[in-house]
Amino acid sequence: MKECENCQKDKELEKILYEYKEDKDNLIQILNDIQERYGFISTAAQMRVAEYLSIPFAEVYGVVTFYSRFTLKPKGKYNIAVCLGTACYVKGSEKILDRLKERLGINAGETTEDRKVFN
């Protein structure tokens, strides 16, 4: 019988957790492993980490949102960045961004449904 995708992810998360002692000092390393494995850190994963380390969820969430390394949403395989600084903007970068949004069907900061492109 084929296992459900969420069940498999839960098993993978548990494997990551059990590589570390239940010590608050391991929080960033655990979050880093989760980010590497899944490409983002879901709310469910944050709650499980908080439970495992016996710390408040707010503390885990605070670390995830403080460090730019971590993300709450899955990002695409390919990242497209458009310069919107003054010099770039004057030279028409907004038109490039608008065209990308139109072609990809996403807004800035979103990911395509196939998770290939993050803008």
Side-chain angles (χ1 to χ4, degrees), residues 1 7 42 46 51-52 60 75 86 97 109:
M1 180 179 216
C7 297
S42 69
Q46 292 175 64
E51 177 186 357
Y52 182 74
V60 176
K75 292 187 177 182
T86 304
L97 179 60

PDB file of all heavy atoms in Angstrom, residues 1 7 42 46 51-52 60 75 86 97 109:
ATOM      1  N   MET A   1       0.832  -1.184   0.000  1.00  0.00           N
ATOM      2  CA  MET A   1       0.000   0.000   0.000  1.00  0.00           C
ATOM      3  C   MET A   1       0.882   1.255   0.000  1.00  0.00           C
ATOM      4  O   MET A   1       1.820   1.365   0.768  1.00  0.00           O
ATOM      5  CB  MET A   1      -0.890  -0.034   1.236  1.00  0.00           C
ATOM      6  CG  MET A   1      -1.804   1.133   1.346  1.00  0.00           C
ATOM      7  SD  MET A   1      -2.824   0.963   2.831  1.00  0.00           S
ATOM      8  CE  MET A   1      -4.308   1.653   2.213  1.00  0.00           C
ATOM      9  N   CYS A   7       2.246  11.690   5.278  1.00  0.00           N
ATOM     10  CA  CYS A   7       2.783  10.696   6.212  1.00  0.00           C
ATOM     11  C   CYS A   7       4.282  10.541   5.990  1.00  0.00           C
ATOM     12  O   CYS A   7       5.055  10.473   6.949  1.00  0.00           O
ATOM     13  CB  CYS A   7       2.096   9.350   6.027  1.00  0.00           C
ATOM     14  SG  CYS A   7       0.326   9.383   6.372  1.00  0.00           S
ATOM     15  N   SER A  42       7.187  24.865   7.195  1.00  0.00           N
ATOM     16  CA  SER A  42       5.740  24.987   7.359  1.00  0.00           C
ATOM     17  C   SER A  42       5.375  25.255   8.818  1.00  0.00           C
ATOM     18  O   SER A  42       6.166  25.014   9.741  1.00  0.00           O
ATOM     19  CB  SER A  42       5.049  23.700   6.900  1.00  0.00           C
ATOM     20  OG  SER A  42       5.352  22.641   7.802  1.00  0.00           O
ATOM     21  N   GLN A  46       7.069  23.826  12.304  1.00  0.00           N
ATOM     22  CA  GLN A  46       7.442  24.702  13.412  1.00  0.00           C
ATOM     23  C   GLN A  46       6.800  24.235  14.715  1.00  0.00           C
ATOM     24  O   GLN A  46       7.450  24.222  15.768  1.00  0.00           O
ATOM     25  CB  GLN A  46       7.016  26.139  13.125  1.00  0.00           C
ATOM     26  CG  GLN A  46       7.777  26.795  12.000  1.00  0.00           C
ATOM     27  CD  GLN A  46       7.215  28.158  11.699  1.00  0.00           C
ATOM     28  OE1 GLN A  46       7.273  29.049  12.541  1.00  0.00           O
ATOM     29  NE2 GLN A  46       6.652  28.329  10.512  1.00  0.00           N
ATOM     30  N   GLU A  51       7.367  21.519  19.962  1.00  0.00           N
ATOM     31  CA  GLU A  51       6.991  20.413  20.843  1.00  0.00           C
ATOM     32  C   GLU A  51       8.216  19.564  21.190  1.00  0.00           C
ATOM     33  O   GLU A  51       8.444  19.237  22.353  1.00  0.00           O
ATOM     34  CB  GLU A  51       5.935  19.559  20.146  1.00  0.00           C
ATOM     35  CG  GLU A  51       5.500  18.345  20.923  1.00  0.00           C
ATOM     36  CD  GLU A  51       4.547  17.453  20.133  1.00  0.00           C
ATOM     37  OE1 GLU A  51       4.170  17.814  18.997  1.00  0.00           O
ATOM     38  OE2 GLU A  51       4.207  16.393  20.657  1.00  0.00           O
ATOM     39  N   TYR A  52       9.008  19.237  20.189  1.00  0.00           N
ATOM     40  CA  TYR A  52      10.188  18.390  20.388  1.00  0.00           C
ATOM     41  C   TYR A  52      11.198  19.031  21.338  1.00  0.00           C
ATOM     42  O   TYR A  52      11.775  18.361  22.194  1.00  0.00           O
ATOM     43  CB  TYR A  52      10.845  18.089  19.036  1.00  0.00           C
ATOM     44  CG  TYR A  52      12.042  17.172  19.123  1.00  0.00           C
ATOM     45  CD1 TYR A  52      11.873  15.815  19.351  1.00  0.00           C
ATOM     46  CD2 TYR A  52      13.325  17.661  18.982  1.00  0.00           C
ATOM     47  CE1 TYR A  52      12.967  14.961  19.440  1.00  0.00           C
ATOM     48  CE2 TYR A  52      14.421  16.825  19.069  1.00  0.00           C
ATOM     49  CZ  TYR A  52      14.247  15.476  19.290  1.00  0.00           C
ATOM     50  OH  TYR A  52      15.329  14.627  19.381  1.00  0.00           O
ATOM     51  N   VAL A  60      10.013  29.593  18.122  1.00  0.00           N
ATOM     52  CA  VAL A  60      10.415  28.986  16.844  1.00  0.00           C
ATOM     53  C   VAL A  60      10.047  29.926  15.701  1.00  0.00           C
ATOM     54  O   VAL A  60      10.866  30.223  14.831  1.00  0.00           O
ATOM     55  CB  VAL A  60       9.741  27.605  16.641  1.00  0.00           C
ATOM     56  CG1 VAL A  60      10.089  27.034  15.273  1.00  0.00           C
ATOM     57  CG2 VAL A  60      10.148  26.643  17.753  1.00  0.00           C
ATOM     58  N   LYS A  75       9.506  28.083  -2.209  1.00  0.00           N
ATOM     59  CA  LYS A  75      10.007  28.890  -3.321  1.00  0.00           C
ATOM     60  C   LYS A  75      10.222  27.983  -4.516  1.00  0.00           C
ATOM     61  O   LYS A  75      10.404  26.781  -4.377  1.00  0.00           O
ATOM     62  CB  LYS A  75      11.313  29.579  -2.937  1.00  0.00           C
ATOM     63  CG  LYS A  75      11.119  30.643  -1.881  1.00  0.00           C
ATOM     64  CD  LYS A  75      12.379  31.413  -1.648  1.00  0.00           C
ATOM     65  CE  LYS A  75      12.138  32.522  -0.636  1.00  0.00           C
ATOM     66  NZ  LYS A  75      13.318  33.325  -0.415  1.00  0.00           N
ATOM     67  N   THR A  86      16.512  52.959  -8.066  1.00  0.00           N
ATOM     68  CA  THR A  86      16.238  54.173  -8.857  1.00  0.00           C
ATOM     69  C   THR A  86      16.821  54.100 -10.261  1.00  0.00           C
ATOM     70  O   THR A  86      16.124  54.353 -11.248  1.00  0.00           O
ATOM     71  CB  THR A  86      16.781  55.416  -8.127  1.00  0.00           C
ATOM     72  OG1 THR A  86      16.212  55.467  -6.826  1.00  0.00           O
ATOM     73  CG2 THR A  86      16.425  56.688  -8.880  1.00  0.00           C
ATOM     74  N   LEU A  97       9.375  43.824 -15.004  1.00  0.00           N
ATOM     75  CA  LEU A  97       8.652  43.140 -13.938  1.00  0.00           C
ATOM     76  C   LEU A  97       7.200  42.902 -14.344  1.00  0.00           C
ATOM     77  O   LEU A  97       6.665  41.792 -14.151  1.00  0.00           O
ATOM     78  CB  LEU A  97       8.714  43.937 -12.635  1.00  0.00           C
ATOM     79  CG  LEU A  97       7.963  43.334 -11.448  1.00  0.00           C
ATOM     80  CD1 LEU A  97       8.505  41.948 -11.096  1.00  0.00           C
ATOM     81  CD2 LEU A  97       8.050  44.254 -10.249  1.00  0.00           C
ATOM     82  N   GLY A 109       6.992  38.055  -5.418  1.00  0.00           N
ATOM     83  CA  GLY A 109       6.962  37.317  -4.154  1.00  0.00           C
ATOM     84  C   GLY A 109       6.186  36.023  -4.214  1.00  0.00           C
ATOM     85  O   GLY A 109       6.077  35.316  -3.221  1.00  0.00           O
TER      86      GLY A 109
END
